[in-house]
Amino acid sequence: VLAPRCGWVLPGLEQRLAVPAIVSPATARPYAAAAKTANKDAKRSRQEKVKEKPPPRRRPLMSKPVDDVYLTWLYKRPSYELEQAVGMLKKFQQLDFTYPKQFVYINVSLDMALQKKKKVDPFSSSVALPHRFTDEVNKVLVFTENEQEAEIAREHGAAIVGGVELIKWILEDEIQADFYVAVPAIIPKLIPLRNKLKRKYPSTRKNSLGSDIPKMLQFFRECHEYTVEDENIIKTRIARLDMPTEHIIANLKTIIHDICTFKPSNYDPIVRRLVIRSATSEGLLLNLDGILPQVQKAEEKEEKSAVDEDQQKPVQESVST
């Protein structure tokens, strides 16, 4: 009885059905924009509270433990004088009955930063150590087209000697060497090898380009090479543990002084952290005082020179009179 008859339509409803209504999101959800703004404000306020919250205070590390058993992360890592550390490495070997002629290594952490966003590029270098610790000889290739120079190179221990005919074999990895040296006359013909050899390409800056073939061969056959890894770390061996302590110290200082030449002295020292260890021992953190080269500031040099000039003036005047 209450159901409308078929085809019955309320007045005005027919027009509404004929024209579909267009509803805007704002009309359909009148509180959506306000809710979105409120959420942004709430999120911003939470971020501000997090920024205002002071960072958690970390307990300062203690300097020296008082017992033999302690938690290492609660104390500062001890640092040792170089001579003391070498003596400890020798003592570790005796107590552990390990190989007495094992290698001694250093891990050097570097500060490569320069002004603004510039930094020192990773590098490799070769240095002649005052005390050799291995009988290994590096394989050196000599580029020359002069038969007399080639004969001299062979007499002084060159592994490979040749001219432009070697370029093809080097590019195809048929010939490889630890170091490459060349005489000035042939260097224009070696340009195809520049990208292949990269840092080992002969150059006067690395003392691998010159006319004194015996001198270059003596250096590169016996030199010690090290390379920067992971952008700011150098890991290299420096000696054998059975060598005298003074020899180990001399080798270490020679390498450290060579590393320091790669950053200008008016910046912070490039060596930031230095650890020494043997093949079977723990690493010992070294105190850098007395290891890094002493760099005198430019201002101090100027003051010293000015004082020297003042002292010399009366002497010169008295002589002239």
Side-chain angles (χ1 to χ4, degrees), residues 65-170:
V66 295
D67 299 321
D68 294 336
V69 180
Y70 57 92
L71 299 175
T72 56
W73 59 82
L74 294 180
Y75 295 87
K76 295 179 181 178
R77 185 174 181 178
S79 61
Y80 303 93
E81 299 298 327
L82 180 53
E83 186 174 356
Q84 178 188 9
V86 174
M88 292 175 66
L89 295 182
K90 290 178 176 290
K91 192 67 175 179
F92 293 159
Q93 182 272 321
Q94 296 173 2
L95 295 175
D96 297 336
F97 298 99
T98 54
Y99 185 54
K101 294 185 178 182
Q102 58 187 288
F103 288 117
V104 178
Y105 299 84
I106 56 172
N107 293 356
V108 190
S109 300
L110 305 178
D111 179 9
M112 310 283 274
L114 295 174
Q115 60 182 359
K116 297 181 179 179
K117 294 184 179 180
K118 295 182 180 180
K119 63 179 182 178
V120 180
D121 294 327
F123 55 87
S124 62
S125 181
S126 303
V127 61
L129 297 178
H131 305 284
R132 296 196 67 211
F133 59 90
T134 176
D135 295 330
E136 299 174 2
V137 177
N138 298 317
K139 184 178 179 181
V140 185
L141 183 149
V142 178
F143 288 108
T144 180
E145 293 181 320
N146 184 294
E147 187 57 36
Q148 185 177 0
E149 292 176 341
E151 186 62 28
I152 293 175
R154 294 188 189 97
E155 291 176 356
H156 286 82
I160 304 170
V161 183
V164 293
E165 70 277 4
L166 299 178
I167 295 177
K168 177 183 177 181
W169 303 108
I170 295 173

Side-chain angles (χ1 to χ4, degrees), residues 206-305:
K206 296 183 178 180
N207 300 318
S208 56
L209 176 61
S211 302
D212 194 342
I213 294 177
K215 182 179 179 181
M216 291 190 295
L217 282 172
Q218 181 181 2
F219 174 78
F220 286 105
R221 289 180 77 244
E222 300 179 356
C223 70
H224 177 74
E225 185 181 25
Y226 63 86
T227 305
V228 176
E229 306 172 7
D230 301 326
E231 296 187 353
N232 66 336
I233 299 293
I234 294 176
K235 299 178 181 179
T236 184
R237 58 187 186 180
I238 62 168
R240 289 190 181 273
L241 194 57
D242 63 330
M243 292 172 58
T245 299
E246 56 271 18
H247 290 185
I248 298 176
I249 293 175
N251 283 358
L252 182 145
K253 288 187 175 181
T254 300
I255 295 176
I256 295 298
H257 287 203
D258 187 70
I259 293 172
C260 291
T261 61
F262 285 88
K263 187 174 182 180
S265 58
N266 55 334
Y267 291 94
D268 293 333
I270 190 171
V271 177
R272 183 176 59 189
R273 191 166 175 267
L274 178 59
V275 174
I276 188 172
R277 64 177 181 86
S278 67
T280 59
S281 75
E282 63 177 294
L284 302 176
L285 182 64
L286 294 178
N287 185 356
L288 296 177
D289 294 337
I291 298 178
L292 300 183
Q294 298 296 324
V295 179
Q296 194 174 19
K297 295 181 180 179
E299 297 178 358
E300 294 179 357
K301 289 183 179 179
E302 292 177 359
E303 292 178 359
K304 185 177 179 181
S305 60

Side-chain angles (χ1 to χ4, degrees), residues 45-69:
S45 63
R46 286 197 299 268
Q47 292 176 350
E48 291 176 354
K49 289 181 179 179
V50 171
K51 291 181 179 179
E52 293 176 357
K53 185 178 179 181
R57 295 183 60 184
R58 185 176 180 180
R59 180 179 178 181
L61 297 177
M62 293 177 281
S63 58
K64 189 176 181 180
V66 295
D67 299 321
D68 294 336
V69 180

